[in-house]
Amino acid sequence: MEVTFLGATHEVTGSCTYLAACDKHLLIDYGMEQGKNTFENEPLPILPSEIDYVLLTHAHIDHSGLLPLLFKNGFHGEVHSTVTTKNLSDIMLLDSAHIQESDAEWKSRKAIRRGAAPVEPLYDTHDAQGVLGLFRGHRYNDRFTLAEGIDIRFTDAGHLLGSSSIEIWLTENGETRKIVFSGDIGNINQPLLRDPQFLAEADYAVMESTYGDREHTPPLDYASALAEVLQRTLDRGGNVVIPSFAVGRTQEMLYFIRHIKEQGLVHGHDGFPVYVDSPLAIQATRVFVDNAEYCYDEEATALLQRGINPIGFSGLITASTADESIAINTEPTPKVIISASGMCEAGRIRHHLKHNLWRPESTVLFVGYQANGTLGRALVEGAKEVKIFGESIAVQAEILSLPGISGHGDVHELLRWIRHFSPKPRMTFINHGEDAVCAGLAKRLSEEFGIPAIAPYSGTCFDLLTGKPLRLTEGIPVREKPESLSAQSTASAAAAAEKPSPKSAYAKLLLALERLTKLIGAGGNKSNRDLENMTRRINDLCNDWTKRRR
C-alpha cells in the first residue's frame, strides 16, 4: 500500500500521483505541465499497460492533458471521474489533441525547410477518442467499490464544474487506510458553482497549495469592479481583452457581464458587443447549461427557475471559425473579447494581444492565476515589450488584474479545508504549488497547527500502512529550457513535438538505471512475489530492447 508523488511536486501544474494497493495500480490525475518547468519529474514506475485505473479530479488540462498519451502508450484500463468531468473531458481532450496536431504540423513545416525530420505530435485525435472511451462517470457523494479492497467517493471541490476531491478507502489483510486527494480546492462565493465540500476524516491527505501563501482581496462587488474597467475602456474607444480559461472562467465572466447589462452598470454603450472567441469555450458553455441542475449553486439555480440563462444575454457573439475570429479585430466598435488560453500561452488570445497590446486605449484584464514563465505572468509583472509569433510588441495597453476572481481558494480556505479533518491526518502531503509555497505551507501546518506535513519532491514514496517513507527525494532542477505547454514523462515531454537530444536522453537513461539499482538494493524487504514480478519485467524490458537494436 504505497503512494508515490510524480507530478505537480513543488510546481503548480502537471498533476500526477501513483498509488499501488490491493494488487492494483492507480494514477490520480495525469496532467500536462504548463508554463515554466522547474524540476525534473520521474517517469511512471510501471508501464502504462499495467495501470488499472485513473482517478481524475477535474477536466483542466494540467490534470487531464496526458491521458491520451497514456492511451497511446498502452493504457486500456478505466478512467473514473464525476459525470460532469467526463462531459467536459470529451471536449477538452479532443481540443488538446487538435492543438498537438496543429503544433506538430507547424513545427514540421519549419523542420522540413531546414532539412530536418518532420515532428510527430505528442498524441492525436485518435488517442484522445480512445481514452475518452475508457471514462466512467459518477455522481457526487456516491461511494462505490472500484476493485476488491478499494472504495471511492467523489465530493464537490467547488473549483470547476464537476471538480472533485477524491476519498479512497484501501483495505489489505484486514487493515484499512483512507487517503484523500483534495484536487484543486475552489474559492468561496464563486458565481455558478457551489462552495467546496468539507471532509471529516482521513489517515492521509494530499492537498494543493496554488495560493498557499496568498490571500484573496476580492472587491465588495465583482460585477461593479468589472463594470468600472469596462466603462473606462469603452469610454476611451478601446477594447477590453480578457484572457480566460475556456472552461470555468469564461462562463463566470459571462455571468458577471449578464448582470452588468441587466442592471445597466455601464453607461453610454448600450448593447456593447461581447465576443467569446474560443470554440472550446463555446462547447464548454453548452456543457455548463446542460449540467446546471447537477452543479449550479442556489443563485444560479434560482435564475434558471425564473427562465433566465445565467450566462446568456443580448450582444453575446460567438466566434467559431478562424474567419470569424479574424473579423473581430477588423470591427472598429469598442468591445469585450474573451478568448483562451487563460495564461496566454496558446490559442486565439495571442492574436488579440498582438492587435491590442500596443493600443493605449485598450485594456488587457487578467482574471485568473498566471503561472511562472507564461506570457500572462510577464504582462502582469510589467513587461514593456513581449514577443508574439516572433514579432516584438510594445505593451502600451492598460494591464489589470481583477482581484478575487479566482477559481482557487486562498491560504485561508486551504487552512479551513485541512483543519476540518478530525482527528488530524497522520500526514498531509502538500503539492500543486510553487517551490517555496509548497515548502512554506507544509512548515506552517506542522509548526502552527500541529498537522504533520511535508512537501514531497517527485519520486518520494510513502508506505500507507506504516506511515513511513520508503524513499525521500530532492528536487532536480531542469537544465534545459522548456517548451511552452510541454509535457513530461509524468508531466513533461519537453518535446511535445521535439525529441530530446541523444545526450540528454542517455543522461536520463543513466539516472533511471541508478534509481533501478537502488531499488533492487533495497529489495530485501519485498515479498518473493514482488521480486519475481520485478525480475520478469526487467527481463521483458531487456528482451524488448534487444529486439529493437536488431
Side-chain angles (χ1 to χ4, degrees):
M1 194 183 291
E2 301 173 3
V3 61
T4 304
F5 301 92
L6 297 172
T9 54
H10 290 253
E11 296 178 311
V12 179
T13 62
S15 182
C16 181
T17 306
Y18 168 67
L19 190 61
C22 308
D23 292 324
K24 298 297 181 183
H25 305 283
L26 295 78
L27 292 183
I28 293 80
D29 291 343
Y30 196 49
M32 185 176 288
E33 198 145 36
Q34 298 173 303
K36 184 178 180 180
N37 182 15
T38 307
F39 294 106
E40 295 283 2
N41 288 346
E42 291 203 358
L44 295 176
I46 61 172
L47 297 173
S49 58
E50 296 178 297
I51 296 167
D52 298 294
Y53 306 102
V54 177
L55 306 178
L56 183 60
T57 59
H58 64 285
H60 276 152
I61 292 300
D62 65 318
H63 289 255
S64 69
L66 291 187
L67 289 175
L69 179 64
L70 197 68
F71 176 86
K72 177 180 179 179
N73 290 336
F75 170 68
H76 293 287
E78 296 175 354
V79 181
H80 291 261
S81 70
T82 65
V83 172
T84 310
T85 291
K86 177 181 180 295
N87 294 338
L88 284 176
S89 297
D90 284 345
I91 60 175
M92 294 187 71
L93 292 181
L94 287 172
D95 180 75
S96 180
H98 175 70
I99 291 172
Q100 298 298 329
E101 291 169 334
S102 298
D103 285 353
E105 181 181 357
W106 177 71
K107 290 178 180 178
S108 289
R109 289 197 299 267
K110 291 180 65 178
I112 292 169
R113 285 197 294 267
R114 63 174 185 266
V119 173
E120 292 292 326
L122 184 65
Y123 53 78
D124 58 24
T125 301
H126 170 78
D127 301 316
Q129 291 171 332
V131 80
L132 288 170
L134 304 177
F135 268 68
R136 306 289 185 268
H138 303 271
R139 296 185 67 84
Y140 283 131
N141 300 317
D142 285 350
R143 179 169 171 172
F144 63 96
T145 297
L146 183 69
E148 186 176 353
I150 305 176
D151 276 18
I152 307 294
R153 183 163 61 198
F154 294 96
T155 59
D156 196 344
H159 169 68
L160 174 72
L161 198 76
S163 66
S164 64
S165 299
I166 305 177
E167 299 174 274
I168 306 175
W169 290 264
L170 305 169
T171 302
E172 285 184 353
N173 300 321
E175 290 200 56
T176 298
R177 299 290 184 271
K178 181 182 177 184
I179 183 169
V180 170
F181 290 82
S182 72
D184 285 359
I185 298 170
N187 201 358
I188 59 172
N189 301 321
Q190 288 190 86
L192 300 174
L193 301 181
R194 295 190 289 257
D195 286 350
Q197 183 176 341
F198 291 115
L199 302 174
E201 50 86 22
D203 296 298
Y204 302 95
V206 181
M207 186 176 76
E208 64 111 339
S209 59
T210 308
Y211 280 87
D213 65 344
R214 279 166 286 179
E215 300 177 6
H216 293 322
T217 54
L220 294 178
D221 184 336
Y222 291 164
S224 295
L226 176 59
E228 290 179 12
V229 175
L230 300 183
Q231 184 77 61
R232 186 167 66 249
T233 306
L234 297 177
D235 283 350
R236 63 187 183 225
N239 298 325
V240 179
V241 179
I242 304 178
S244 180
F245 293 108
V247 182
R249 195 54 40 79
T250 291
Q251 291 73 35
E252 291 175 4
M253 299 312 298
L254 295 180
Y255 180 92
F256 289 132
I257 294 172
R258 184 206 65 80
H259 178 78
I260 288 169
K261 283 176 169 276
E262 180 186 67
Q263 299 298 317
L265 300 181
V266 171
H267 308 286
H269 304 280
D270 293 343
F272 64 88
V274 177
Y275 290 85
V276 174
D277 185 20
S278 165
L280 177 60
I282 295 167
Q283 294 178 70
T285 300
R286 296 192 190 106
V287 174
F288 268 67
V289 173
D290 292 343
N291 289 268
E293 181 180 354
Y294 184 61
C295 295
Y296 275 10
D297 65 8
E298 291 183 4
E299 289 184 15
T301 300
L303 288 172
L304 284 175
Q305 291 171 346
R306 290 164 48 201
I308 299 172
N309 180 357
I311 51 179
F313 48 82
S314 63
L316 176 60
I317 305 166
T318 58
S320 296
T321 68
D323 287 343
E324 289 170 340
S325 176
I326 292 169
I328 294 173
N329 288 304
T330 63
E331 162 55 47
T333 305
K335 64 187 76 67
V336 177
I337 304 169
I338 304 173
S339 187
S341 71
M343 297 185 193
C344 307
E345 285 295 279
R348 295 179 178 180
I349 186 62
R350 294 172 74 89
H351 293 278
H352 296 302
L353 292 175
K354 179 180 177 180
H355 284 278
N356 285 277
L357 276 175
W358 56 271
R359 299 179 59 193
E361 66 271 25
S362 289
T363 298
V364 177
L365 178 63
F366 288 96
V367 292
Y369 180 80
Q370 303 301 306
N372 193 21
T374 61
L375 175 58
R377 182 72 160 255
L379 290 170
V380 167
E381 291 182 346
K384 301 300 182 186
E385 183 178 281
V386 296
K387 277 199 170 184
I388 300 177
F389 303 123
E391 181 179 344
S392 294
I393 307 293
V395 180
Q396 300 185 74
E398 186 177 9
I399 308 297
L400 296 174
S401 294
L402 193 59
I405 308 297
S406 173
H408 287 270
D410 66 5
V411 63
H412 297 299
E413 294 308 315
L414 296 180
L415 291 174
R416 200 155 69 104
W417 187 87
I418 192 63
R419 293 178 68 192
H420 198 269
F421 287 92
S422 181
K424 300 169 184 175
R426 301 183 189 187
M427 180 62 71
T428 296
F429 304 99
I430 305 299
N431 68 355
H432 209 288
E434 293 180 357
D435 186 19
V437 178
C438 282
L441 183 58
K443 182 178 180 182
R444 185 176 181 187
L445 288 181
S446 299
E447 295 181 356
E448 188 174 335
F449 299 101
I451 300 173
I454 68 166
Y457 285 97
S458 185
T460 290
C461 179
F462 265 74
D463 185 321
L464 298 180
L465 283 175
T466 66
K468 295 180 180 179
L470 298 174
R471 181 177 181 234
L472 293 174
T473 59
E474 296 295 329
I476 301 175
V478 170
R479 297 179 181 85
E480 297 175 307
K481 184 178 180 181
E483 287 274 331
S484 292
L485 285 177
S486 64
Q488 286 190 16
S489 32
T490 64
S492 161
E498 294 183 20
K499 291 181 171 61
S501 69
K503 182 178 179 181
S504 169
Y506 187 64
K508 290 181 179 180
L509 179 62
L510 291 177
L511 286 173
L513 175 61
E514 180 182 351
R515 181 186 175 200
L516 179 61
T517 302
K518 290 179 180 178
L519 284 173
I520 293 173
N525 61 342
K526 296 289 185 180
S527 68
N528 287 336
R529 180 181 178 183
D530 286 341
L531 294 174
E532 288 171 359
N533 284 338
M534 177 63 80
T535 302
R536 174 184 55 78
R537 288 165 56 192
I538 292 173
N539 285 331
D540 288 345
L541 181 61
C542 291
N543 291 337
D544 182 63
W545 183 276
T546 302
K547 290 177 184 178
R548 289 172 184 267
R549 289 184 64 188
R550 292 173 185 165

